[in-house]
Amino acid sequence: MELQLSMVVLEVADLEASVRFYRRLGLDLPDAVPGGRPVVAHRMGSGVTLLLITGFASTYDPTWSRPVGRGYSQMLEFYVGEDAVVDSRWNELVDAGYVGRMPPTQTVGPYAAIVEDPDGNAILLTSDEAASPES
């Protein structure tokens, strides 16, 4: 069997704030089940599921601690379509108060922008056809 990336799990501090961000980004996230586990999952057309959860890491990994500072070691890349969509998503998110790390820029690779989600994760918005689920 070929190894497949099936899920990206983000341990978030505030589930509602994260759901608002990813909805504003353009994902059709469901609401968390009231009184249920603090988790929201969304399966994308590419087959990868984005899972937002609170309390999992701290419950099952006694050495876990939330990262501090403004650095990041990973980025989640979201293919949003054309350059104009990168621009509009960037503007919408920054205007809504989210931290912009890199305005829309023609990099040595794709046209892209970086914004932070509520937990400081770097979100790369791109028009790179190589990131399209159809590629």
Side-chain angles (χ1 to χ4, degrees):
M1 181 180 121
E2 180 185 354
L3 187 64
Q4 297 289 319
L5 177 66
S6 65
M7 186 177 296
V8 174
V9 179
L10 296 179
E11 178 76 33
V12 301
D14 181 333
L15 187 59
E16 289 180 21
S18 293
V19 167
R20 279 193 305 275
F21 172 84
Y22 285 99
R23 282 179 177 163
R24 188 174 292 270
L25 179 63
L27 296 179
D28 186 21
L29 294 176
D31 290 326
V33 176
R37 291 179 49 211
V39 62
V40 170
H42 173 71
R43 188 169 182 92
M44 293 174 268
S46 63
V48 175
T49 297
L50 175 65
L51 187 121
L52 308 174
I53 191 165
T54 61
F56 183 86
S58 61
T59 299
Y60 296 102
D61 180 354
T63 66
W64 182 82
S65 64
R66 188 166 299 284
V68 296
R70 303 292 300 175
Y72 54 88
S73 58
Q74 72 282 328
M75 288 187 271
L76 300 180
E77 181 175 352
F78 286 90
Y79 172 75
V80 297
E82 299 177 4
D83 294 357
V85 181
V86 173
D87 293 338
S88 66
R89 291 281 166 85
W90 160 266
N91 288 325
E92 180 182 340
L93 292 165
V94 170
D95 289 348
Y98 297 103
V99 175
R101 298 279 249 162
M102 181 184 83
T105 303
Q106 180 58 59
T107 69
V108 294
Y111 186 74
I114 302 173
V115 65
E116 288 183 7
D117 76 1
D119 291 284
N121 294 305
I123 307 302
L124 181 66
L125 308 172
T126 182
S127 61
D128 184 4
E129 286 289 329
S132 169
E134 287 82 38
S135 293

